[in-house]
Amino acid sequence: MKKVLTYYLKPYYGRMTLGFFIKFLGTVMDLFLPWILAYIIDSVIPLGDRGMIYFYGLVMVVCSIGAFAMNVIANRMASAVSRDATRTIRHDLYARIMHLSAAQTDEVTKPSLISRLTTDTYNINNMLGRVQRLGVRAPILTIGGILITLTLDPVLTLILIATLPFIVYITVHISKVSIPLYLRVQDASDKLVRLVREDAAGIRVIKALSKTDVERARFDEVSREVIQTEKKASGMMARVGPLTGLILNSAQVAVIVAGAARVAMGQCEVGRILAFMTYFTIILNAVVNISKMFVVFSRAAASADRVMAIIDMPVEMRALPQAQTRACEEAPAIAFDHVTFRYGKSGEATLTDIDFTLERGQTLGILGDTGSGKSTLIRLLMRFYDPDEGTVRLFGQDVRTMDNETLRARFGVTFQSDTLFEDSIAENIRLGRPFTDEEVMQAARDAQAYSFVVGDKQGFASALNVRGNNLSGGQKQRVMIARALCGHPDILILDDSSSALDYRTDAKLRAALREHYEKTTKVLVAQRISSVAHADLILVLSGGRILARGTHEELLASCELYQELYASQMGGLAQ
Ligand code: ADP
């Protein structure tokens, strides 16, 4: 929270001071209204001078309008400041999220990042607005109100003052207890968002396997957790209002009883008692507002901590100083040098002793069961993670010494969980990179996407739905392959991309790769032998280790698993 106040609000200190000043004037005017009323009743009316009565009446009207106008202006300024400051916070948070390392994203989880970017920044915005709107007004109303009531009737004011410590104790104590509760509410709703996202993404399979009841039960459980933590937190906060109300109302009764006695004894006038009661209400409202401000503040403090925890995360995966390694034309395109890697820093290694080289323009095939570490190998190659042991080199240079932009610009890639965006087909292929229309079309041709794209009336300008849901699985895959091919990258990675393609299209794609992407080094991750049979080097992965390596012929001759796979897949093909 400190950073929000001292860093993000700093540029607005000037505007805030002006806003506070306007608010101050408006509040002071508000504060004097009951006092003028008391003066009219007790001092002006008894004189019977109509002119004076009208004059003070007019003063009251001017004060009311002035107070209203100034409050509106100050509130608008406050909203502008909180909106602008929150925008900067959200912007910084977004930029930081985009540059988190894959390990950091794993640690925080995506739904939590989303709720930090949405709910938490909203809470901060809400707090900044409210504190500016009430932070000056409520204390002035409370303190100024007490000062004026002191001039009206010091004895009655004592009753009022005696009640305030109780109210302050209640608000401060309860908000202290509530901060950790709100943190738990936020964590629970992160979990809920995670589940909803998962279910929404997998709604078809959930329905197809009649798992709706199971999912509903899972949802109910998480939802109950949210409700229970929220209930605890809001139950705690809900005590503030009634408790302060109870105390203030009791005090008000005491004031009325004591006030009536004092009027009867001739120690005080009726107008003063009337004004006193009005101040009492004003002070009551102000104190309740201060307590509400504590609620908003405690929520926002928890949110600010969650947001700043991300913004202040250390930058990982920086490029190391270029020691001995530099990119060099003759070096192999890809070299894994005894690489071992584990997700998290404990547990079993996901990849163990991966060691191979691939020359420029060659094709690498990676085969293996699901979970054998194929995608992880790609992630290390693109430096989403750093290996625990060994080195990954690209054109002779340790990938850790390359800055991420330069490194990733050399790749064209489709991942297993890739997605299409709600945009035109051309833009989905181009993805913000400076490729010409001709390059985009060529990529589509090579990816075997051209015919179905131009078959549509709008061709490359056709709009895709969210995630490309208006295309078939195979069509989506082809657009994504076109995206990877676009601009003839140095290294092309197709991670299980041909799985949704029929054999004929897959073969055509392979032919196009051979013909037009001679210089491109290709890495093909596949389940099907036919997709990698032509590769210069095939790695068979099992349990994160290289079980066997060689060309198709070599593996057929030597690797039992490969022979089995071949027999089953070729059998399937023949049928
Ligand atoms: P493949 O691509 O061969 O199916 P992966 O490389 O995706 O296999 O996964 C290899 C193993 O690493 C699996 O056991 C998987 O559960 C684990 N794994 C993958 N990604 C992560 C991650 N982000 N955090 C922790 N474990 C992971």
Side-chain angles (χ1 to χ4, degrees):
M1 182 51 103
K2 199 172 141 219
K3 191 166 175 181
V4 173
L5 302 181
T6 57
Y7 177 75
Y8 284 102
L9 279 186
K10 202 168 181 190
Y12 307 103
Y13 282 173
R15 269 161 75 184
M16 283 168 72
T17 313
L18 181 64
F20 285 154
F21 181 66
I22 297 175
K23 192 91 195 180
F24 174 80
L25 290 182
T27 309
V28 169
M29 284 188 184
D30 261 338
L31 206 50
F32 270 104
L33 284 171
W35 187 85
I36 301 172
L37 184 67
Y39 184 73
I40 296 175
I41 294 175
D42 293 339
S43 308
V44 183
I45 294 180
L47 294 178
D49 182 344
R50 274 178 182 247
M52 286 292 272
I53 295 174
Y54 287 140
F55 172 74
Y56 279 104
L58 190 67
V59 170
M60 280 187 80
V61 171
V62 170
C63 275
S64 307
I65 294 174
F68 169 78
M70 286 192 202
N71 273 323
V72 169
I73 293 171
N75 285 354
R76 293 182 76 135
M77 288 177 72
S79 299
V81 167
S82 49
R83 184 192 61 218
D84 292 350
T86 312
R87 189 200 293 144
T88 318
I89 294 174
R90 205 177 281 137
H91 188 272
D92 282 4
L93 178 61
Y94 185 74
R96 189 70 201 90
I97 288 176
M98 286 294 134
H99 287 101
L100 286 182
S101 73
Q104 285 169 325
T105 315
D106 288 350
E107 187 190 320
V108 186
T109 75
K110 284 180 201 152
S112 174
L113 288 175
I114 292 171
S115 72
R116 286 170 210 238
L117 199 54
T118 51
T119 320
D120 288 318
T121 52
Y122 173 77
N123 286 346
I124 295 175
N125 180 34
N126 201 4
M127 180 278 291
L128 291 180
R130 195 178 271 255
V131 167
Q132 288 180 86
R133 272 181 274 125
L134 296 174
V136 169
R137 185 175 168 82
I140 292 180
L141 288 179
T142 312
I143 296 169
I146 291 173
L147 289 179
I148 295 181
T149 47
L150 272 176
T151 67
L152 289 175
D153 191 315
V155 178
L156 295 185
T157 310
L158 284 182
I159 301 176
L160 175 66
I161 291 176
T163 57
L164 293 181
F166 294 103
I167 290 166
V168 171
Y169 172 77
I170 289 167
T171 48
V172 171
H173 174 73
I174 291 185
S175 61
K176 246 191 202 156
V177 180
S178 70
I179 291 182
L181 287 177
Y182 277 115
L183 267 179
R184 277 178 48 200
V185 171
Q186 206 54 59
D187 283 344
S189 42
D190 278 0
K191 234 194 236 173
L192 189 74
V193 173
R194 194 154 53 223
L195 187 83
V196 170
R197 258 171 58 112
E198 234 176 60
D199 283 354
I203 189 77
R204 281 202 200 128
V205 69
I206 290 171
K207 282 190 175 166
L209 298 181
S210 304
K211 286 284 180 223
T212 28
D213 287 345
V214 178
E215 284 308 311
R216 193 176 303 147
R218 228 157 60 104
F219 181 83
D220 281 349
E221 196 183 311
V222 182
S223 168
R224 205 171 304 129
E225 194 183 329
V226 175
I227 291 169
Q228 256 151 18
T229 42
E230 171 74 40
K231 217 158 114 186
K232 247 191 201 163
S234 50
M236 185 59 83
M237 285 329 289
R239 289 178 210 167
V240 178
L243 271 176
T244 48
L246 179 70
I247 294 170
L248 282 161
N249 286 333
S250 319
Q252 207 162 12
V253 172
V255 167
I256 291 173
V257 174
R262 283 172 70 74
V263 171
M265 284 189 283
Q267 285 164 333
C268 190
E269 289 131 344
V270 179
R272 285 180 175 233
I273 299 289
L274 259 179
F276 196 96
M277 296 309 290
T278 313
Y279 281 118
F280 213 105
T281 318
I282 289 177
I283 294 169
L284 179 142
N285 278 330
V287 172
V288 168
N289 273 331
I290 290 178
S291 63
K292 275 190 192 156
M293 220 155 61
F294 268 102
V295 181
V296 175
F297 194 86
S298 53
R299 225 178 230 260
S303 288
D305 287 347
R306 281 163 51 89
V307 169
M308 293 309 149
I310 304 298
I311 291 183
D312 293 337
M313 268 192 159
V315 178
E316 284 185 354
M317 317 294 275
R318 259 188 221 283
L320 298 178
Q322 283 197 350
Q324 324 88 346
T325 56
R326 269 187 175 284
C328 128
E329 290 307 308
E330 293 85 49
I334 298 172
F336 271 61
D337 184 11
H338 297 287
V339 168
T340 294
F341 169 77
R342 52 180 61 79
Y343 286 104
K345 286 304 146 211
S346 57
E348 261 186 52
T350 305
L351 290 178
T352 311
D353 200 25
I354 303 294
D355 191 74
F356 68 89
T357 55
L358 191 73
E359 300 300 330
R360 260 159 212 261
Q362 283 194 326
T363 301
L364 172 72
I366 307 179
L367 271 182
D369 298 334
T370 37
S372 58
K374 305 183 293 293
S375 302
T376 306
L377 196 153
I378 304 295
R379 288 181 201 137
L380 293 187
L381 177 60
M382 296 191 70
R383 204 186 176 217
F384 286 113
Y385 298 88
D386 278 336
D388 295 311
E389 289 163 37
T391 327
V392 177
R393 290 202 180 81
L394 209 65
F395 303 106
Q397 184 175 356
D398 185 338
V399 289
R400 284 172 298 191
T401 64
M402 300 169 82
D403 85 79
N404 280 337
E405 302 284 313
T406 328
L407 172 71
R408 309 239 165 101
R410 306 196 76 155
F411 288 92
V413 61
T414 67
F415 292 113
Q416 275 180 34
S417 53
D418 257 0
T419 186
L420 293 173
F421 300 94
E422 199 179 358
D423 206 336
S424 69
I425 291 194
E427 274 318 308
N428 263 291
I429 294 177
R430 193 177 278 126
L431 210 67
R433 298 168 296 175
F435 296 133
T436 61
D437 288 348
E438 185 42 48
E439 282 174 305
V440 168
M441 274 191 251
Q442 185 55 42
R445 258 184 223 114
D446 294 333
Q448 313 304 312
Y450 192 79
S451 51
F452 85 78
V453 173
V454 295
D456 189 276
K457 248 189 251 147
Q458 308 202 315
F460 280 87
S462 332
L464 296 188
N465 289 352
V466 179
R467 292 176 195 275
N469 280 343
N470 47 344
L471 295 182
S472 76
Q475 288 172 334
K476 268 193 263 189
Q477 200 114 41
R478 280 182 263 177
V479 174
M480 288 190 272
I481 293 173
R483 180 193 285 167
L485 293 179
C486 203
H488 288 75
D490 290 336
I491 298 181
L492 172 72
I493 296 176
L494 301 182
D495 187 353
D496 215 10
S497 325
S498 49
S499 56
L501 302 184
D502 55 76
Y503 278 91
R504 248 188 62 203
T505 315
D506 193 17
K508 278 193 197 161
L509 168 68
R510 269 180 279 133
L513 288 183
R514 238 187 343 264
E515 268 176 48
H516 301 145
Y517 296 82
E518 213 176 308
K519 287 201 192 125
T520 297
T521 308
K522 297 162 269 289
V523 180
L524 311 176
V525 177
Q527 307 269 354
R528 285 205 301 240
I529 286 190
S530 63
S531 304
V532 294
H534 62 290
D536 301 288
L537 174 68
I538 301 171
L539 301 177
V540 182
L541 288 193
S542 174
R545 290 174 185 271
I546 298 180
L547 182 75
R549 69 178 73 208
T551 58
H552 175 66
E553 289 71 25
E554 288 165 354
L555 287 170
L556 263 189
S558 64
C559 175
E560 212 172 299
L561 179 66
Y562 196 83
Q563 289 161 357
E564 276 173 28
L565 271 175
Y566 183 72
S568 66
Q569 291 183 4
M570 290 307 128
L573 192 61
Q575 273 173 25

